[in-house]
Amino acid sequence: MDARRAPRTVSDPKVRKVGFFTAPPDRSLSGPPDHRIFSFLTSPPPVVDNSSPSAGNSLSPVMIPPPRHSSANLSPLRRDSAEYFPPSASPTSPASFSDDVAAAAMGRGAVAASSSLPGGLGFDIAALKSAASSVPASGLTTVSVVNNFPIGISEKGGGVAVEMQNDQSTRSKSLKEKTTKAERRALQEAQRAAKAAAKAEGVAASEKKGGDRPQEKDRKKEVPQPRMQYDDKSRVEKAKRRAVVKQTEARNRVELFRHLPQYERGTQLPELESKLFELDPMHPAVYKVGLQYLSGDICGGNARCIAMLQAFQEAIKDYSTPPEKTLARDLTAKIGSYVSFLIECRPLSISMGNAIRFLKNRIAKLPLSLSEMEAKTNLHSDIDRFINEKIILADKVIVKHAVTKISDGDVLLTYGSSSAVEMVLLHAHELGKQFRVVVVDSRPKLEGQLLLRRLVGKGINCTYTHINAISYIMHEVTRVFLGASSVLSNGTVYSRVGTACVAMVAHSFHVPVLVCCEAYKFHERVQLDSICSNELGDPDVISQVRGREDINFLDGSSNSAILQLLNLIYDATPSDYVSMIITDYGMVPPTSVPVIVREYRREHLWI
Amino acid sequence: MPDTLQNPNPQNNISAYYQTRAAHHAVVTSDWLAQAQAAVAREPDGAPDTSVPPVAGKPFSVIDEFNSWRKQPDLAEAVAAIRALAAVIRNCQATTMMELEIELKKASDSLKLWDATSISLTAGCDLFMRYVTRTSALEYEDFNSAKSRLIERAEKFGEISCKARRIIAMLSQDFIFDGCTIMVHGFSRVVLEVLKTAAQSKKLFRVFCTEGRPDRTGLRLSNELAKLDVPVKLLIDSAVAYTMDDVDMVFVGADGVVESGGIINMMGTYQMALVAHSMNKPVYVAAESYKFARLYPLDQKDMAPALRPIDFGVPIPSKVEVETSARDYTPPQYLTLLFTDLGVLTPSVVSDELIQLYL
């Protein structure tokens, strides 16, 4: 939620320390460079070393910090600059002490070292940065860097002192968020200077920078890659050359959706079938799954994800490391190639994307000492565990929570065919609750008919209608249960096209909308509309009605220049229309999705 | 009394929570007396002394402890429960951590049973259990030091809960400006503390106080405010919309804060919040953090019912049904801010806090 949260230690999970935290800053490393800087400007340096750790957290966690007035802090310090009170004597303002010292130093720097020293100071800052960068990436690295920059930017003077003080007084793990634009610019300039200095300095500095780079890379890796935009001609050409499946792009495309891929249907399947035994790099299980996606045999977020993971399990089982290569890198590359193939068959759903990230993460985390057999069995069991915990058991928990919201006499509405919702309805029926279901369906997929068949088979009282009658039937409905392909970070529900319509109509009738979604499908992306990221289906399906061959008015429309058919697969429902999201972490409001993504993504969502 | 007997409501789950609130009020009505008698008769059933810890013959009973804490009228029930549970830990004879936890759970269950409709009691007990037992140090230390650690955390939790009102009062001072008009509903000790503090710091404001039928708790609140020399205007509940134009902000307490960020409070709060929202007046809720409950009502009927018979003063024919629910649910979109001892929060933060604590 915000950056002032304390690091998660054992104590006090409930009382949040407002503005104070206990991370003992590791000042020892930045000590010597500080000496250098400070010796330019002031007298004794060691105070910086001793100040913070001892006087860490003397305030009780519940106390609200007194308002910080910069003038109050700066002025007594200017007076006492010559003496340094021992750390123990200032228990009430532990955090401000080091601020004050640095501020004093900076203040004096502003006075004394203004124009003559930037070059020299820049050099020191470079050395400092390379020293600081070998400190493990904790909040401290930025602290020490920010600490010293104001000295370089001598023009800023008092203003920066105040900001810096405020930064340090609200010490947070990621100070980067608190730095102002000016400070960030300064940071960049200093980094550029550091790079130049590093080159001048030679090997030592560059080694240290090298140590810094993997951390940044890791951080970058965690940010998901932006999707490829298909209206960029050169990238499309490049992708085509690398493609396994030869596809022809559809010619008559809607202008607004040119950034999404669309291919001529009916051309891929025969070609792929003919190549079944030729495609050497592709594992047959993956190939099979790809074909199933293409033909639409496997449909639905969970089903696709499980099929893909099981295909990967097979592939890993049959995998053997080629000589001269490491298992981790080669296997990751292979999985990458399988994934590109699957993307060409059908663009990935968000659940599949998350599962692939999990798998690559596990491969990367394999200890190097493992033998190939052990590594493969490890991965196999990891995938099994993922499927079991994140999908199967998660569904059980969701069902358990959701049935508490169904009472006798309810009329439940559902749209399309969601596996989670189906399980909820069947379980509620087993528990003996008296309710009836309205199944809303829509062309061209008509997925609701499958759900209808299964529900009626179990003896549930059902009504079936199409989405154009939604406002007609909504007044009878007491609850709406929807499934989701994913829930995004701003609470937007990304689901089958038509879901947004159902949710909005329900909202206007004051019917609560409950979305059932497993937590592994959550994504940190934010999407404001249904256009920027979507999937385009086969447009010809719109113009044809199965069983009604006489409706052929639009045959041959693909050649018409003025008519374009659009078949969207997904849409985005804003969070205002959703009352509650039922996940395996319990029932949460849509605003809590980023909390779950943040708190548990690293630890639990993936592992 | 004939008029109460005429009330045709077949269910007899008179919410003890709302009865005891009347006990703290100077307003004594005929039906209150009847209920008090009923409650006294009921208590031995509702508070099973089967919560006797494994060692037989020990006189310590968590319910007794609870009752003794509750005697202080200013102490919230949940805080009394928390103190009682802390006493359980102190006096327990268990020798292993598992035994201690089981005993604690039993005590907590019996306390919750005492009044099944009180949300803050349930929430307080649950939060206490989570807070106290959620320390990984329990696995490493030997039993006695772990026990003392637990006692320490329990005491701390008790203290935080006790001090919660002071903290909330301090936090809300910035929101009360000179010359403002505040509308309050029901008798919330937290809101009273807020207003008391504001009055003591010489702020000039006036208060519109609703009557709060059927408890008529508003009368008690207006008494208290008059003692503080705060100008008070008493309204009947139906006059809320009429006077909302002159009001600058609405201040309510909460019986429980639910996961969606909404609150469950005395009947009439939802109404007031709706009117305030449609007239763009902020609605502030003052609630201690131990009231955060893991409930998620979707609408008014989705909660455990808490009924309270209403005394209309005239006999009601038996054919006429009476709506006796004592509380309603205000959804989060009508609330502006929550003042808690964790700080000034927006309603969406409640789930944030609960996720952190429970998962």
Side-chain angles (χ1 to χ4, degrees):
Chain A
M1 191 182 87
D2 57 29
R4 55 197 169 106
R5 188 138 305 149
R8 310 274 290 149
T9 55
V10 167
S11 55
D12 297 327
K14 188 172 156 249
V15 179
R16 179 167 54 189
K17 298 178 188 177
V18 180
F20 295 87
F21 74 115
T22 56
D26 183 10
R27 288 286 173 148
S28 48
L29 269 164
S30 35
D34 278 354
H35 288 186
R36 247 182 295 153
I37 302 282
F38 286 161
S39 59
F40 263 124
L41 318 160
T42 73
S43 27
V47 190
V48 183
D49 262 321
N50 304 336
S51 61
S52 345
S54 51
N57 201 21
S58 41
L59 269 180
S60 123
V62 183
M63 253 180 80
I64 314 300
R68 296 197 145 262
H69 295 299
S70 49
S71 49
N73 279 333
L74 275 180
S75 36
L77 191 65
R78 291 263 166 81
R79 270 185 277 122
D80 301 336
S81 53
E83 324 138 14
Y84 284 88
F85 7 99
S88 52
S90 61
T92 50
S93 57
S96 61
F97 187 61
S98 47
D99 301 346
D100 298 343
V101 173
M106 191 244 60
R108 260 168 264 143
V111 166
S114 44
S115 42
S116 53
L117 293 175
L121 277 180
F123 198 77
D124 272 304
I125 290 169
L128 176 66
K129 179 137 200 308
S130 38
S133 57
S134 47
V135 172
S138 61
L140 181 63
T141 313
T142 37
V143 171
S144 53
V145 169
V146 171
N147 210 349
N148 293 294
F149 279 141
I151 299 175
I153 325 156
S154 35
E155 311 93 46
K156 301 286 162 53
V160 180
V162 171
E163 288 167 74
M164 197 186 57
Q165 262 190 342
N166 288 337
D167 287 348
Q168 287 195 302
S169 62
T170 59
R171 264 191 230 194
S172 56
K173 233 184 171 167
S174 50
L175 259 188
K176 282 195 175 134
E177 298 169 23
K178 295 281 189 179
T179 58
T180 63
K181 213 173 174 186
E183 285 178 316
R184 269 183 265 129
R185 222 180 294 131
L187 208 77
Q188 281 180 344
E189 280 174 38
Q191 279 174 344
R192 250 178 268 136
K195 267 202 192 139
K199 276 202 203 119
E201 271 196 317
V203 185
S206 58
E207 266 179 6
K208 284 199 184 119
K209 293 234 78 156
D212 192 31
R213 222 173 278 126
Q215 297 155 14
E216 287 173 356
K217 252 203 199 151
D218 276 338
R219 256 177 269 139
K220 279 205 198 111
K221 249 196 223 152
E222 284 156 12
V223 175
Q225 299 296 330
R227 295 186 168 202
M228 179 166 131
Q229 303 291 72
Y230 284 82
D231 47 4
D232 187 351
K233 280 252 178 291
S234 54
R235 296 193 68 181
V236 170
E237 287 301 318
K238 251 211 257 178
K240 250 200 206 166
R241 266 179 268 133
R242 276 184 280 146
V244 175
V245 183
K246 293 279 175 287
Q247 309 189 72
T248 48
E249 277 177 40
R251 277 157 293 147
N252 208 2
R253 298 166 59 168
V254 178
E255 190 60 44
L256 198 56
F257 289 93
R258 269 193 196 279
H259 60 285
L260 300 172
Q262 184 161 27
Y263 301 109
E264 292 278 334
R265 291 305 171 112
T267 54
Q268 303 142 314
L269 205 52
E271 205 201 316
L272 278 180
E273 279 173 353
S274 67
K275 283 200 180 164
L276 182 57
F277 299 105
E278 291 175 29
L279 277 179
D280 199 25
M282 201 57 54
H283 190 274
V286 177
Y287 198 68
K288 177 171 136 196
V289 163
L291 288 185
Q292 283 174 323
Y293 286 169
L294 199 51
S295 59
D297 279 342
I298 300 189
C299 195
N302 284 343
R304 286 172 70 189
C305 188
I306 293 180
M308 176 189 78
L309 283 177
Q310 285 174 339
F312 283 168
Q313 267 183 332
E314 290 279 326
I316 291 179
K317 200 160 60 137
D318 295 338
Y319 171 80
S320 55
T321 322
E324 312 285 333
K325 294 213 176 142
T326 54
L327 177 100
R329 295 232 187 91
D330 191 56
L331 189 55
T332 311
K334 236 184 161 50
I335 300 278
S337 69
Y338 294 160
V339 170
S340 332
F341 168 69
L342 290 177
I343 293 179
E344 286 154 18
C345 295
R346 190 180 160 185
L348 289 182
S349 68
I350 297 188
S351 56
M352 290 167 67
N354 287 347
I356 291 169
R357 263 204 282 170
F358 157 77
L359 184 59
K360 287 194 175 164
N361 198 317
R362 295 309 295 166
I363 296 177
K365 288 229 172 83
L366 283 176
L368 292 169
S369 53
L370 285 185
S371 77
E372 187 177 309
M373 243 359 265
E374 285 175 348
K376 291 199 315 192
T377 38
N378 268 2
L379 286 176
H380 197 274
S381 62
D382 277 340
I383 294 180
D384 266 337
R385 207 156 43 98
F386 183 87
I387 294 179
N388 206 24
E389 283 176 16
K390 303 295 171 196
I391 306 182
I392 299 179
L393 286 180
D395 278 338
K396 293 210 172 97
V397 175
I398 289 177
V399 166
K400 193 176 67 117
H401 283 299
V403 291
T404 60
K405 290 300 174 193
I406 301 179
S407 35
D408 287 339
D410 265 343
V411 178
L412 310 175
L413 186 138
T414 181
Y415 176 73
S417 160
S418 162
S419 53
V421 174
E422 186 183 335
M423 284 193 249
V424 168
L425 296 174
L426 291 177
H427 187 69
H429 186 71
E430 274 167 35
L431 290 178
K433 305 212 176 197
Q434 303 298 319
F435 60 93
R436 67 184 177 88
V437 177
V438 178
V439 178
V440 177
D441 202 2
S442 77
R443 282 202 66 233
K445 289 210 167 185
L446 291 176
E447 290 170 320
Q449 289 182 351
L450 295 167
L451 175 65
L452 183 70
R453 195 178 284 274
R454 290 192 281 262
L455 291 180
V456 170
K458 295 283 175 156
I460 300 181
N461 200 339
C462 293
T463 307
Y464 176 78
T465 178
H466 276 209
I467 195 166
N468 39 13
I470 188 89
S471 51
Y472 174 76
I473 199 137
M474 192 53 83
H475 72 276
E476 303 180 348
V477 174
T478 56
R479 303 254 192 274
V480 174
F481 278 89
L482 298 173
S485 170
S486 163
V487 183
L488 306 176
S489 233
N490 57 345
T492 304
V493 175
Y494 189 71
S495 180
R496 184 69 78 221
V497 68
T499 311
C501 184
V502 172
M504 288 185 211
V505 173
H507 179 81
S508 66
F509 277 82
H510 301 289
V511 176
V513 174
L514 289 73
V515 172
C516 304
C517 179
E518 298 86 356
Y520 84 100
K521 288 179 179 167
F522 289 176
H523 200 268
E524 67 267 348
R525 188 172 96 206
V526 169
Q527 198 170 326
L528 299 176
D529 56 36
S530 314
I531 300 175
C532 56
S533 166
N534 209 322
E535 190 184 327
L536 294 176
D538 185 10
D540 294 325
V541 182
I542 298 184
S543 49
Q544 294 149 7
V545 181
R546 219 168 54 122
R548 289 288 303 274
E549 309 306 335
D550 51 324
I551 303 185
N552 55 359
F553 312 110
L554 291 179
D555 279 352
S557 64
S558 49
N559 303 321
S560 161
I562 55 174
L563 178 66
Q564 288 110 23
L565 296 171
L566 178 65
N567 184 5
L568 285 177
I569 305 285
Y570 293 111
D571 70 12
T573 310
S575 61
D576 314 327
Y577 303 114
V578 178
S579 314
M580 159 199 308
I581 302 189
I582 308 180
T583 78
D584 41 328
Y585 289 99
M587 300 185 278
V588 295
T591 45
S592 291
V593 167
V595 175
I596 294 182
V597 170
R598 182 194 70 220
E599 300 276 335
Y600 299 101
R601 195 165 69 86
R602 225 151 278 146
E603 263 67 70
H604 304 304
L605 261 191
W606 307 115
I607 296 174
Chain B
M1 303 296 304
D3 27 343
T4 51
L5 289 178
Q6 284 262 2
N7 259 329
N9 247 330
Q11 296 126 313
N12 236 351
N13 8 347
I14 302 171
S15 166
Y17 182 64
Y18 291 98
Q19 289 175 34
T20 54
R21 288 177 80 88
H24 293 150
H25 305 154
V27 182
V28 175
T29 59
S30 50
D31 61 314
W32 177 84
L33 270 178
Q35 283 153 36
Q37 284 162 6
V40 164
R42 203 176 74 98
E43 242 181 56
D45 314 332
D49 265 319
T50 53
S51 75
V52 167
V55 180
K58 202 160 76 113
F60 177 77
S61 153
V62 66
I63 299 294
D64 289 340
E65 185 79 20
F66 179 53
N67 286 334
S68 70
W69 278 106
R70 263 184 55 238
K71 295 225 171 62
Q72 311 171 25
D74 261 350
L75 204 62
E77 261 181 5
V79 181
I82 289 166
R83 285 261 144 100
L85 287 176
V88 165
I89 302 183
R90 235 179 293 123
N91 297 340
C92 91
Q93 308 279 12
T95 46
T96 64
M97 195 47 64
M98 197 66 182
E99 231 178 301
L100 179 73
E101 284 188 20
I102 293 177
E103 208 177 300
L104 204 54
K105 180 120 204 326
K106 263 203 284 195
S108 161
D109 286 341
S110 66
L111 276 178
K112 284 194 248 184
L113 266 181
W114 177 84
D115 181 7
T117 62
S118 167
I119 298 180
S120 62
L121 186 60
T122 315
C125 290
D126 282 339
L127 282 173
F128 177 84
M129 299 288 294
R130 292 296 305 190
Y131 184 75
V132 158
T133 57
R134 196 178 177 228
T135 155
S136 62
L138 280 181
E139 296 155 18
Y140 300 108
E141 300 167 7
D142 67 296
F143 180 65
N144 283 323
S145 48
K147 182 169 167 186
S148 57
R149 183 98 198 275
L150 279 188
I151 293 177
E152 196 185 305
R153 287 165 78 74
E155 300 287 326
K156 186 166 184 190
F157 193 71
E159 265 186 55
I160 291 176
S161 313
C162 264
K163 289 206 202 122
R165 279 191 206 149
R166 291 274 346 128
I167 297 173
I168 294 175
M170 255 167 54
L171 285 175
S172 39
Q173 290 314 299
D174 284 331
F175 290 83
I176 301 178
F177 50 90
D178 274 332
C180 69
T181 307
I182 304 179
M183 181 176 283
V184 295
H185 184 68
F187 183 66
S188 161
R189 286 164 289 193
V190 191
V191 175
L192 182 59
E193 182 86 23
V194 169
L195 297 176
K196 216 188 262 185
T197 318
Q200 281 161 358
S201 42
K202 303 280 185 271
K203 286 208 172 143
L204 302 169
F205 60 95
R206 62 180 177 151
V207 177
F208 286 177
C209 187
T210 54
E211 188 192 5
R213 291 219 70 215
D215 292 346
R216 290 198 248 143
T217 48
L219 303 179
R220 162 88 169 171
L221 181 65
S222 53
N223 269 346
E224 296 289 326
L225 287 174
K227 283 189 214 154
L228 299 169
D229 285 331
V230 174
V232 183
K233 188 170 191 180
L234 205 52
L235 320 162
I236 52 172
D237 297 334
S238 343
V240 165
Y242 177 76
T243 46
M244 189 57 81
D245 268 335
D246 301 328
V247 164
D248 291 313
M249 65 183 87
V250 175
F251 241 111
V252 291
D255 287 346
V257 181
V258 297
E259 200 158 357
S260 58
I263 55 167
I264 297 184
N265 199 19
M266 179 169 144
M267 180 66 80
T269 313
Y270 184 31
Q271 204 160 281
M272 189 181 282
L274 270 173
V275 173
H277 186 257
S278 67
M279 294 200 191
N280 286 323
K281 311 283 179 188
V283 177
Y284 299 131
V285 175
E288 301 94 317
S289 60
Y290 58 76
K291 287 179 175 163
F292 287 9
R294 284 222 94 180
L295 299 169
Y296 204 130
L298 291 172
D299 48 35
Q300 301 302 323
K301 304 290 182 294
D302 204 4
M303 307 181 282
L307 304 173
R308 198 198 183 290
I310 303 181
D311 176 20
F312 286 106
V314 288
I316 309 282
S318 45
K319 276 188 296 194
V320 176
E321 251 189 78
V322 179
E323 174 64 61
T324 50
S325 177
R327 60 190 181 197
D328 62 19
Y329 164 64
T330 308
Q333 56 259 38
Y334 303 114
L335 305 174
T336 319
L337 287 176
L338 298 172
F339 297 133
T340 72
D341 44 297
L342 300 174
V344 178
L345 313 171
T346 59
S348 47
V349 175
V350 175
S351 175
D352 197 341
E353 293 294 328
L354 284 174
I355 287 176
Q356 285 214 321
L357 189 56
Y358 275 93
L359 296 172

